[in-house]
Amino acid sequence: MRDFIALFAELDATSRTSVKLDALKRYFDRAPADDGAWAVYMLTGRRMKRLVGARKLRAWVTEACGLPEWLVEETYQHVGDLAETISLLMDPAPEPAPSDTSLTAWVEGGVLALRGEEEAEQKARVMAQWRRLPREACFLYNKLLTGSLRVGVSRGLVERALAELSGLPRALIARRLMGEFEPGASFFTHLLSEERREERDGQPYPFFLASPLKDEPRTLGPLSDWQAEWKWDGIRAQLIARPNGVWVWSRGEEPMAGRFPEVEAAAGALPEAVLDGELVAWNDKVLPFSQMQRRIQRKKVGEKLLREVPVAFLAYDLIEYQGRDWRARPLHERRAALETLIADAGEPALKLSPVVDAPDWTALAALRADSREHHVEGLMLKHRDSPYRGGRVRGDWWKWKIDPLTLDAVLLYAQPGHGRRANLYTDYTLAVPDGDGYVPIAKAYSGLSDQEIGRLDRWIRRNTVEKFGPVRSVQPHQVFEIAFEGIQPSPRHKSGIALRFPRIARWRQDLTPDQADSLAQVKELLNAYGS
């Protein structure tokens, strides 16, 4: 356990990739196989379900440290992270936790063992851990309890460390880490083994991710070298059809069994294959993403919703075919086989993502300009000779998105962020004028530089009108340009409108609040681009 705590501290203390890589390799080289498996599980961003609610933990730490409830709450608001707040409020153990406690025993015996316990037993066990653990270990323990452990290392760097340590290709390590797995010694041993045995049933492949195109597309060379497709606004997924079953995986490696029964049923007409594509709401044509959201929110879909919002899988690549890995083959070869495969299946819920043809880049740009009319986000550009790579590898696949929609709104409320930004006001509620008042239209958490955040934080503190717990209302003075991907009606919001992926594009210090967009103007946007 000490080794993992030391690794966490080392990763958190540096931004240098080489230092992080060396630390990971040292840890995995000496870790027992079961501890290595749990470390991989946590370092690659997988999380255990929250075992104890935040409200209970705040009540328990208030009792354990003997401080007034108001002081604990104030401390939590100041720190911004519950796990860190608890570790700071508890007196650190005078001696470190026993050095022979393994990471596996600590997780399985100290954390997962709480599952199914009565509340009184949970409370006693958690408080006992708080009292015996040193501060660093207490912090990690609380992060595991709340299901919010984040480590300052990318998944790709973990793959690279394991590949260099084992001498295996990184692509193979990435493949073995895809999908769900049970942390254990056998998993970790197989992960680093040279033995090329069959992977787990229904296991997806690493997704190939496109890079944003920021230069003029003509810099890519002749259009004839590239395949253009619509950038669909749905759920990126892999559809796996094998003799022993059908699986659907999201890009976030979430298994979606039973969520899209029409697609799973249609996959029964496929030969053994793994397809990359997009799940979209489809009724003779692609429907707005707001319709797809109705399906996403349901794990079990009733007959009425199936009729109202049918879903199709738009296939755009062939990863595996008849038990063979096709990723190394050029795109034009994969595409030709995919066209035949989808045509032979003849299933309405399985469709081919069409190629967007144009004689030159200028004509293709004109087609891209009409993307919103087709409920798509722009174009994908894929080199016809490209293999199917893993992760975001620049050069072969580009996403040429349309510019976001924008509007100017006024800052109305602010509250502190979390973690390292817990002492700064970084979460903003923005509003638009409506008559004599303002109506909230969006919340934004990103888009400003650190310098701008500091300046705005000082202004917020000087211009606070009221406080509501951690939230401050401010004088309606600061105007910001908000960028967003879509707009739709929403009965849940006072404005009657919801924006998709809002973020701050720029601080409009050249505008006054009366020059911001009004609610009536926002509704005009809804009429023009709403779904």
Side-chain angles (χ1 to χ4, degrees):
M1 184 58 208
R2 277 186 177 180
D3 287 343
F4 186 74
I5 293 172
L7 172 64
F8 182 89
E10 193 170 357
L11 295 174
D12 191 53
T14 183
S15 59
R16 293 179 58 192
T17 300
S18 59
V19 175
K20 292 184 178 185
L21 182 64
D22 288 342
L24 289 167
K25 288 162 66 175
R26 285 196 305 273
Y27 176 83
F28 286 124
D29 187 41
R30 61 176 177 251
D34 51 357
D35 283 6
W38 273 112
V40 167
Y41 187 88
M42 290 184 273
L43 292 169
T44 54
R46 290 167 169 83
R47 301 181 192 177
M48 295 178 286
K49 291 182 179 179
R50 177 176 291 189
L51 295 168
V52 183
R55 184 174 297 177
K56 287 181 182 178
L57 291 174
R58 291 205 300 273
W60 296 352
V61 74
T62 300
E63 179 182 335
C65 66
L67 295 174
E69 183 178 351
W70 68 266
L71 184 54
V72 172
E73 286 298 318
E74 284 289 324
T75 304
Y76 173 42
Q77 296 302 332
H78 179 77
V79 174
D81 181 276
L82 182 57
E84 186 175 1
T85 301
I86 295 171
S87 67
L88 292 171
L89 288 174
M90 296 299 299
D91 290 330
E95 295 294 334
S99 59
D100 59 350
T101 302
S102 69
L103 176 60
T104 302
W106 195 64
V107 172
E108 296 180 358
V111 179
L112 295 182
L114 295 172
R115 188 176 295 150
E117 295 280 3
E118 296 292 333
E119 182 176 335
E121 180 62 24
Q122 285 185 337
K123 176 181 175 182
R125 294 180 66 153
V126 169
M127 291 175 69
Q129 289 281 25
W130 286 345
R131 293 187 176 103
R132 73 181 284 271
L133 292 173
R135 182 156 287 150
E136 295 83 359
C138 184
F139 171 74
L140 283 176
Y141 176 70
N142 296 327
K143 282 291 188 183
L144 294 175
L145 285 182
T146 57
S148 60
L149 178 63
R150 293 183 178 89
V151 187
V153 63
S154 70
R155 176 167 173 162
L157 197 61
V158 176
E159 293 169 359
R160 183 178 163 190
L162 292 167
E164 291 186 11
L165 183 64
S166 64
L168 297 173
R170 179 176 161 182
L172 180 60
I173 296 293
R175 169 87 170 103
R176 289 175 173 177
L177 286 176
M178 287 295 292
E180 296 179 310
F181 64 83
E182 289 292 328
S186 60
F187 168 78
F188 191 72
T189 300
H190 170 58
L191 181 63
L192 303 184
S193 170
E194 294 183 1
E195 181 184 354
R196 302 297 183 96
R197 68 187 187 193
E198 288 294 319
E199 305 302 335
R200 303 185 300 279
D201 276 348
Q203 184 181 12
Y205 286 85
F207 284 82
F208 189 6
L209 307 179
S211 301
L213 182 65
K214 297 180 180 179
D215 299 326
E216 286 294 318
R218 59 177 51 89
T219 62
L220 299 177
L223 178 56
S224 58
D225 290 342
W226 296 86
Q227 175 178 296
E229 301 173 44
W230 293 119
K231 187 181 187 307
W232 300 104
D233 189 10
I235 301 174
R236 177 86 179 271
Q238 284 181 26
L239 178 60
I240 301 173
R242 295 207 171 105
N244 57 338
V246 171
W247 293 264
V248 182
W249 289 88
S250 73
R251 177 185 146 185
E253 296 180 48
E254 177 189 3
M256 295 187 288
R259 304 275 285 277
F260 306 101
E262 62 269 69
V263 173
E264 292 182 57
L270 293 171
E272 187 172 359
V274 178
L275 310 183
D276 185 10
E278 200 92 5
L279 291 161
V280 297
W282 187 281
N283 193 358
D284 295 329
K285 62 180 180 179
V286 67
L287 301 177
F289 188 77
S290 58
Q291 293 298 309
M292 188 63 178
Q293 284 180 312
R294 296 173 61 192
R295 291 289 300 267
I296 296 171
Q297 294 163 358
R298 303 284 183 88
K299 288 195 173 182
K300 291 186 178 180
V301 186
E303 291 294 329
K304 181 173 182 290
L305 191 56
L306 280 171
R307 288 194 305 271
E308 292 177 352
V309 189
V311 167
F313 183 83
L314 297 180
Y316 42 69
D317 217 320
L318 182 61
I319 300 174
E320 180 188 302
Y321 186 40
Q322 295 180 334
R324 293 179 180 271
D325 186 342
W326 274 49
R327 291 178 295 170
R329 302 189 186 207
L331 173 62
H332 64 82
E333 187 177 334
R334 302 196 307 272
R335 173 75 188 195
L338 179 65
E339 291 175 357
T340 300
L341 186 148
I342 295 297
D344 290 347
E347 290 286 340
L350 296 179
K351 301 183 182 300
L352 187 69
S353 176
V355 171
V356 180
D357 289 318
D360 53 41
W361 288 114
T362 301
L364 189 63
L367 292 172
R368 169 181 169 268
D370 296 331
S371 292
R372 283 198 173 88
E373 295 180 13
H374 301 291
H375 300 300
V376 296
E377 299 178 317
L379 289 169
M380 295 292 299
L381 304 174
K382 303 175 182 178
H383 200 283
R384 295 183 187 278
D385 291 331
S386 63
Y388 188 97
R389 305 184 190 277
R392 198 180 304 280
V393 182
R394 291 174 63 84
D396 284 341
W397 283 20
W398 300 94
K399 50 186 176 183
W400 190 19
K401 296 180 67 173
I402 51 175
D403 295 332
L405 297 169
T406 62
L407 60 85
D408 295 321
V410 181
L411 177 66
L412 211 60
Y413 303 102
Q415 67 185 85
H418 297 277
R420 289 176 177 150
R421 288 187 169 180
N423 295 323
L424 294 168
Y425 285 89
T426 61
D427 296 1
Y428 313 116
T429 299
L430 299 148
V432 292
D434 181 34
D436 295 331
Y438 291 88
V439 178
I441 194 71
K443 289 190 175 184
Y445 311 95
S446 63
L448 296 178
S449 66
D450 289 343
Q451 184 179 16
E452 288 174 323
I453 288 172
R455 285 173 50 209
L456 184 58
D457 178 79
R458 292 189 291 272
W459 184 90
I460 290 167
R461 295 175 191 275
R462 291 194 303 266
N463 293 273
T464 296
V465 176
E466 290 182 274
K467 294 182 181 179
F468 310 94
V471 179
R472 294 189 182 208
S473 68
V474 296
Q475 296 284 352
H477 177 77
Q478 302 294 348
V479 181
F480 297 90
E481 181 182 321
I482 311 172
F484 51 98
E485 300 305 319
I487 183 170
Q488 63 191 59
S490 172
R492 293 182 299 171
H493 295 81
K494 185 177 180 181
S495 65
I497 292 168
L499 306 183
R500 189 167 176 224
F501 301 140
R503 66 272 190 195
I504 294 174
R506 56 179 171 149
W507 190 348
R508 294 299 305 268
Q509 298 177 68
D510 57 322
L511 298 183
T512 57
D514 60 296
Q515 294 174 302
D517 290 299
S518 66
L519 183 60
Q521 289 172 306
V522 177
K523 288 181 178 179
E524 290 177 8
L525 271 179
L526 176 65
N527 292 333
Y529 301 108
S531 53

